[in-house]
Amino acid sequence: MADIAFIGLGNMGAPMAENLIKAGHRLSVYDLNPQAVERLSGAGATPAASATDAVGSAQVVISMLPAGPHVRDCYLGKGNVMAATPAGALLMDCSTIDAATARAVATAAGERGLMMLDAPVSGGVNGAINGTLTFMVGGSGEALEQGRPYFEIMGKNIFHAGEAGAGQVAKMCNNMLLGILMTGTSEALNLGVAQGLDPAVLSDIMKQSSGGNWALNVYNPYPGVMDTAPASKGYQGGFGVDLMTKDLGLAMQAAVATRTATPLGSLARSLYQAHSLQGSGGLDFSSIIRFLQGEDDQ
Ligand code: NAD
């Protein structure tokens, strides 16, 4: 059993850390939010007073933070994780961030003789709870094999996307498509309901037809259609509008840099940004349906 430092215990990090504890690993955990640390220590983890404290005797360091600046700050800035990590430890950043930051942090790790993987995930909070996440891994094959036993506890699909940063590129493409699909699914449901259809009936029909997609099939944005979806829980928890806006922003930066046409991604980004600016940044991203209904401020 390994000593694992886990940094970032939010909607995703907390259940991922819990699965590692249930598998018998010893976890030292840190989050800026003391309540998040307290919850995990109730689940059997050792609370740490700082990121440096958490990694002191770690064989594996896993981070699940909001965005690139948080990751850079944690490993290379105030968090000072890179300098405090023992030699031979494996670093695995599972946050969704820009590929350039992922490469910069991995290069700094390499300069210290540490192996690092960017390993963003797909599958949402339920995937994190159930240990069924998909990992998109960038880094060396050797590092991936070292990390595989931990990925296999937290997820069920592990893909090697390529060298450092490649996992983030794969994730960015996936999430741009997800933002487009959630917006399109919401439009279609609204159009059906506006003509008198029951959203559950319409969803069943589209799921078995050519409109079926992940947003419709497992994350229905219409309240009451799917008990487990954030839409049926007041759009609480799940994957935040601000996080989706961030991911669409990363995709647009990459599209400009590579001169790739992404008109639908660009439109989805504008819609999510406007939705966030209406005060909905903390809601789950399926709440874009409310924005399209003109109900953001109600
Ligand atoms: P979250 O906002 O719920 O959690 C982030 C946590 O990081 C918070 O508890 C925050 O206090 C902590 N944190 C921030 N800066 C820190 C620092 N410097 N040191 C320690 N802790 C710090 O976010 P989340 O939904 O758990 O998402 C985390 C990452 O996973 C994001 O990059 C997101 O894009 C990605 N992601 C989320 C989902 C989802 O469904 N929520 C799915 C796939 C990927």
Side-chain angles (χ1 to χ4, degrees):
M1 289 301 124
D3 287 306
I4 301 176
F6 206 111
I7 303 168
L9 308 166
N11 289 327
M12 296 294 287
M16 290 164 71
E18 275 183 48
N19 283 332
L20 291 165
I21 296 169
K22 282 185 204 145
H25 293 294
R26 295 175 294 271
L27 260 73
S28 172
V29 297
Y30 177 68
D31 191 292
L32 288 180
N33 174 1
Q35 285 161 345
V37 177
E38 211 172 290
R39 268 198 302 277
L40 256 287
S41 59
T46 303
S50 65
T52 316
D53 185 25
V55 303
S57 56
Q59 295 158 293
V60 180
V61 175
I62 303 176
S63 49
M64 193 51 164
L65 300 166
H70 306 85
V71 172
R72 190 182 282 272
D73 191 52
C74 174
Y75 283 95
L76 305 176
K78 281 202 296 287
N80 210 20
V81 160
M82 198 72 80
T85 300
L90 174 68
L91 309 176
M92 297 166 40
D93 178 44
C94 298
S95 328
T96 304
I97 66 171
D98 58 290
T101 298
R103 288 188 199 106
V105 179
T107 300
E111 285 163 0
R112 283 212 63 239
L114 296 166
M115 286 199 289
M116 178 151 199
L117 297 168
D118 50 290
V121 306
S122 175
V125 172
N126 284 335
I129 293 169
N130 297 326
T132 56
L133 293 169
T134 294
F135 285 91
M136 309 167 201
V137 184
S140 72
E142 184 192 352
L144 171 55
E145 289 318 312
Q146 208 172 310
R148 189 176 290 280
Y150 314 104
F151 289 134
E152 284 179 345
I153 292 166
M154 299 182 286
K156 70 169 187 199
N157 296 304
I158 298 126
F159 291 105
H160 192 191
E163 290 305 313
Q168 296 298 349
V169 173
K171 174 67 181 169
M172 166 201 303
C173 297
N174 181 75
N175 274 27
M176 182 181 79
L177 182 57
L178 175 62
I180 293 167
L181 289 173
M182 184 57 83
T183 309
T185 298
S186 298
E187 277 184 14
L189 288 170
N190 282 341
L191 184 63
V193 171
Q195 295 172 88
L197 260 66
D198 179 334
V201 172
L202 177 57
S203 296
D204 281 345
I205 293 169
M206 294 197 295
K207 275 160 72 174
Q208 300 304 326
S209 306
S210 42
N213 70 85
W214 190 88
L216 178 74
N217 298 0
V218 308
Y219 213 98
N220 197 297
Y222 211 97
V225 172
M226 204 170 270
D227 286 348
T228 54
S232 299
K233 302 172 191 164
Y235 300 102
Q236 299 302 310
F239 178 46
V241 167
D242 280 345
L243 291 177
M244 175 52 92
T245 308
K246 169 204 66 169
D247 291 355
L248 290 166
L250 295 177
M252 292 309 99
Q253 282 168 20
V256 170
T258 57
R259 295 173 57 83
T260 306
T262 54
L264 293 180
S266 173
L267 182 53
R269 188 216 172 168
S270 297
L271 293 168
Y272 270 100
Q273 198 164 30
H275 185 34
S276 173
L277 289 171
Q278 303 272 346
S280 299
L283 297 181
D284 177 75
F285 82 115
S286 61
S287 64
I288 193 71
I289 196 167
R290 289 179 51 84
F291 175 80
L292 296 171
Q293 291 164 343
E295 287 188 1
D296 249 0
D297 49 2
Q298 292 175 30

